[in-house]
Amino acid sequence: MSDETTVSRRSFLKRASAALAAGGVGAVAGGVGLSLATGEQRAEAEVEWPLPYTSLDPDVVRVRGHANYYKGECCYGAFSAILETLREEVGGPYNEIPSEMMYFGGGGIAGWGTTCGALIGSCSAMSLVAADKEVAKALANELLGWYSTTALPTDVANQFAIDAQYTAEMKAAGALEQSTAGSPLCHVSVSNWCEASGFASKSPERAERCARLVGDTAAKAVELLNAQFANGALEPGFTFSDEALGCMSCHFLGENFEAGQFTQGKGECTSCHGTMEEAHSPSS
Amino acid sequence: MSDETTVSRRSFLKRASAALAAGGVGAVAGGVGLSLATGEQRAEAEVEWPLPYTSLDPDVVRVRGHANYYKGECCYGAFSAILETLREEVGGPYNEIPSEMMYFGGGGIAGWGTTCGALIGSCSAMSLVAADKEVAKALANELLGWYSTTALPTDVANQFAIDAQYTAEMKAAGALEQSTAGSPLCHVSVSNWCEASGFASKSPERAERCARLVGDTAAKAVELLNAQFANGALEPGFTFSDEALGCMSCHFLGENFEAGQFTQGKGECTSCHGTMEEAHSPSS
C-alpha cells in the first residue's frame, strides 16, 4: 500500500514540476489552480485509495476528539481527531483533506438528531483507509453496534476527566452519568442521556457528555482500525438482542414484500416500534 | 472566496517549489510524500478550506449520481457525483480527496437505515466549499428539509429514465412510484416507498428508485450551492408542518428540562411518535 502511495505522490510531483518548468512559479500561481494550469482535469481522483494507515494511539485520539468537539461539534470533532493524528504519523495525503468537510454533521446533521455526528465523522475517517467497500461497511457496522450497546461516556472518558487528561476546558467536571442509546441516532442518544441524568439538552453537562462521547467514539474507531490492520480481520464485538434478531428474521433487505421485506435497517427495533405485539397491532 | 483560493494555491505552489529546489524532483519523489520530505508533518491541514467552487450543472450531477449509485451505493454515489464534476470544472484540491471515503454510508450506513447516505454524501461535499460552519449547517438543514418533504424520485428523474438520459443500465424502466419520506432516515424513506409501490426492499425497482434519488439529492445539493454562491445566501425552501412546529415549540435544544428540553432533533415528530396525544400518553 505504501508503494502505491509513493507512486501517487510521485506522479503528483511530476505534474507540479512540469507546470513549474512550463510557466514559472509566478505564471502558474496566477491561475486558479495547478490542474487548470496543466490542463489535466479529469473525473478520477489522482490520489490512490485506500490511504496508508499506521497504528494510532486511541488515547491521543480520545483527547483530541474531546477538544475538537468544542471547536466544531461532534462530526468534525471525531473526524479531525483521527485526521490530525494521521497527519502527524503519516502526513502526505492527509494534509490535503480538510476536516471542515464534516462541519455539517453537528447534532446529528445540522441539529436534526439523525445519525450521531461522532459516528459519521469516525466512519468517514475509517473508510479513508479501509481495504475495500466491504471492509469499510464492516468497520462502520461494528462501530454503530458498539455505540448502540455501550454505556457512554465510558469509564475511561470519565476517568480522563477526573485525572485532568483532557486538554480542552471542560464544561462540567467529574464523572458524568452514563446511558446506553440502543440506537446510533443522536436524537435517541441525547434523549436517553438527558433522561438518565436529569440535565437539559443545552446544559453544559450535556455538551461535556457529547465531548467525551466524541473522544470515546473516535478512540473506538482507531481501536477497530488497529485490530483490522494487525489481524487482517475484525473480531465482531457486539450482538443485537434476541428481540431485535427476532424482528430482523422477517424484516430484512429481501425480495418478499408479503413476508415483511419492505424495509431497510438494523438495530434495536423496539426502541422506536415498541414490543412485537405493539408493532404488529392494527393501529400501529 | 476566489482571492483566498488563489492565495491558497499560491502558498501551496510555493511549498512545492521550495521542495523541488531543495532536493530535486527525484530526491523528493523518492520519499513518502511532499510533507514528509520537507519535514512539515503537523496536525493542521495544508489545504486551505473552503475549497474553490464554481457553478455546476445539476443535470450532469444527476446523471453521475444515478450511475455512481450502482458503483458504490448511495453515499458514495452522491459524494462522487459532485466531486467528479468539481474535478472536471475546478481540478486541483478535488483530485486529492478519494470518494471512497463515503463507502461506509450505503443503506443508511452499512445497511442500518440511519440517515440516507445520499444526504451524508451530499452534505459532506457541500461542506467542502461552504464559507463557514454556519453556512455548512444551513445548507445541510435545507437539503434534509427538501428531502423530507419532496416526493422522490422527482418527476425530473423519472423523465430522465423515460428519455434515456441516464448513462448506467437501469434496473427498472419507466416512471417509478413516488413517496414523501417525512424524514431524512433511510429506514423511513425506504419503508414508505416500498409501501407506496408494493415492491420489496431488495427488488430491482427499489434499487433503481434509490439510484434516481441519489441523482436527485446530489443535483439538489448543487442547486443549493449554485444559489448560495450566486446570491450569498440561501432562500429557505421548506417549512415543517404546523404539527411539527407545535412539538418543537416545547422540545428544542434548551436549558429547561422540566419544560421538555431533554432532546435534540428537528423533523416531523409524528412520523415516529404519533399524534401529540399519543406521544404524551402515560404509556408512551
Side-chain angles (χ1 to χ4, degrees):
Chain A
M1 196 173 63
S2 62
D3 280 349
E4 285 174 22
T5 305
T6 306
V7 170
S8 169
R9 308 307 298 172
R10 186 178 296 138
S11 66
F12 167 82
L13 283 166
K14 204 167 149 189
R15 285 198 312 282
S17 162
L20 291 168
V25 177
V28 176
V32 297
L34 185 60
S35 290
L36 284 176
T38 56
E40 279 196 24
Q41 292 146 287
R42 47 180 217 165
E44 293 80 33
E46 301 286 342
V47 67
E48 297 243 4
W49 176 87
L51 302 188
Y53 184 74
T54 189
S55 184
L56 302 180
D57 183 342
D59 286 341
V60 168
V61 172
R62 188 187 312 278
V63 170
R64 282 206 161 116
H66 176 274
N68 290 1
Y69 167 82
Y70 285 120
K71 294 181 189 167
E73 302 183 56
C74 47
C75 192
Y76 169 88
F79 186 75
S80 64
I82 301 172
L83 262 277
E84 288 174 11
T85 311
L86 284 164
R87 283 182 201 134
E88 286 186 346
E89 299 296 329
V90 179
Y94 296 104
N95 292 311
E96 307 299 329
I97 300 171
S99 294
E100 293 88 346
M101 72 182 289
M102 292 292 143
Y103 269 167
F104 71 95
I109 304 188
W112 278 64
T114 70
T115 316
C116 170
L119 289 170
I120 297 175
S122 296
C123 287
S124 299
M126 290 194 297
S127 290
L128 280 172
V129 303
D132 59 33
K133 182 159 79 75
E134 293 314 309
V135 170
K137 293 180 77 170
L139 288 162
N141 182 64
E142 194 61 29
L143 193 67
L144 267 63
W146 167 84
Y147 179 100
S148 300
T149 56
T150 300
L152 298 173
T154 63
D155 290 336
V156 177
N158 278 336
Q159 196 61 48
F160 266 50
I162 292 164
D163 295 344
Q165 295 291 303
Y166 290 127
T167 55
E169 188 177 352
M170 297 188 294
K171 283 202 173 178
L176 290 173
E177 198 74 34
Q178 298 172 310
S179 63
T180 304
S183 165
L185 300 181
C186 162
H187 178 66
V188 181
S189 177
V190 167
S191 298
N192 279 9
W193 186 82
C194 289
E195 188 177 7
S197 68
F199 286 112
S201 51
K202 207 178 177 179
S203 62
E205 289 81 4
R206 201 279 309 153
E208 174 63 22
R209 172 262 184 191
C210 287
R212 294 185 197 175
L213 179 152
V214 165
D216 277 337
T217 305
K220 179 66 184 180
V222 159
E223 286 173 5
L224 292 175
L225 288 176
N226 289 350
Q228 169 78 29
F229 281 82
N231 308 325
L234 274 176
E235 196 169 321
F238 84 99
T239 50
F240 291 112
S241 70
D242 287 344
E243 201 164 23
L245 291 172
C247 300
M248 292 187 277
S249 69
C250 288
H251 303 295
F252 57 88
L253 192 74
E255 296 170 4
N256 190 338
F257 184 95
E258 284 70 28
Q261 292 147 31
F262 42 66
T263 192
Q264 161 117 312
K266 286 189 275 188
E268 293 298 323
C269 312
T270 57
S271 70
C272 288
H273 291 285
T275 64
M276 189 173 83
E277 288 70 30
E278 287 166 349
H280 287 192
S281 76
S283 66
S284 75
Chain B
M1 198 183 67
S2 62
D3 281 349
E4 286 175 22
T5 305
T6 307
V7 171
S8 164
R9 304 312 298 172
R10 186 177 295 135
S11 66
F12 167 81
L13 283 166
K14 203 166 148 189
R15 285 199 309 281
S17 161
L20 292 167
V25 177
V28 176
V32 296
L34 185 61
S35 291
L36 284 176
T38 57
E40 278 194 24
Q41 286 151 287
R42 46 183 213 163
E44 293 81 32
E46 301 284 341
V47 67
E48 296 243 4
W49 177 87
L51 303 189
Y53 184 75
T54 189
S55 185
L56 302 181
D57 183 341
D59 286 340
V60 168
V61 172
R62 189 186 313 278
V63 170
R64 280 207 163 115
H66 176 273
N68 290 358
Y69 167 81
Y70 285 121
K71 294 181 189 166
E73 302 183 55
C74 48
C75 192
Y76 170 87
F79 185 75
S80 63
I82 302 173
L83 261 277
E84 288 174 10
T85 311
L86 284 165
R87 282 181 202 137
E88 285 186 347
E89 299 296 328
V90 180
Y94 296 105
N95 292 312
E96 307 299 327
I97 300 170
S99 294
E100 292 88 345
M101 71 182 288
M102 293 291 144
Y103 270 166
F104 72 95
I109 303 187
W112 278 64
T114 72
T115 316
C116 169
L119 290 170
I120 296 175
S122 296
C123 288
S124 299
M126 292 195 297
S127 291
L128 279 172
V129 303
D132 59 34
K133 181 158 79 78
E134 293 314 309
V135 170
K137 292 181 77 170
L139 288 161
N141 182 64
E142 194 61 27
L143 194 67
L144 268 64
W146 167 85
Y147 179 100
S148 302
T149 57
T150 300
L152 298 173
T154 64
D155 290 336
V156 177
N158 278 336
Q159 197 60 48
F160 266 49
I162 292 164
D163 296 344
Q165 295 291 303
Y166 291 126
T167 56
E169 188 178 354
M170 297 188 295
K171 283 203 174 177
L176 291 172
E177 197 75 34
Q178 299 174 309
S179 62
T180 304
S183 164
L185 300 182
C186 162
H187 178 66
V188 182
S189 177
V190 167
S191 299
N192 279 8
W193 186 83
C194 289
E195 188 177 9
S197 68
F199 287 113
S201 51
K202 206 177 177 180
S203 62
E205 290 81 5
R206 201 279 308 154
E208 175 62 22
R209 171 262 185 190
C210 286
R212 295 185 196 174
L213 180 151
V214 165
D216 277 337
T217 304
K220 179 67 184 179
V222 159
E223 287 174 5
L224 292 175
L225 288 176
N226 289 350
Q228 169 79 29
F229 281 83
N231 308 325
L234 275 176
E235 195 168 322
F238 84 99
T239 51
F240 292 112
S241 70
D242 287 346
E243 201 165 20
L245 292 171
C247 300
M248 292 188 277
S249 68
C250 288
H251 303 294
F252 56 88
L253 193 74
E255 296 170 3
N256 190 337
F257 185 95
E258 284 71 25
Q261 293 146 31
F262 41 67
T263 191
Q264 161 117 312
K266 285 189 275 190
E268 294 297 325
C269 311
T270 58
S271 71
C272 288
H273 292 284
T275 65
M276 189 173 85
E277 289 68 33
E278 287 166 349
H280 288 190
S281 75
S283 67
S284 74

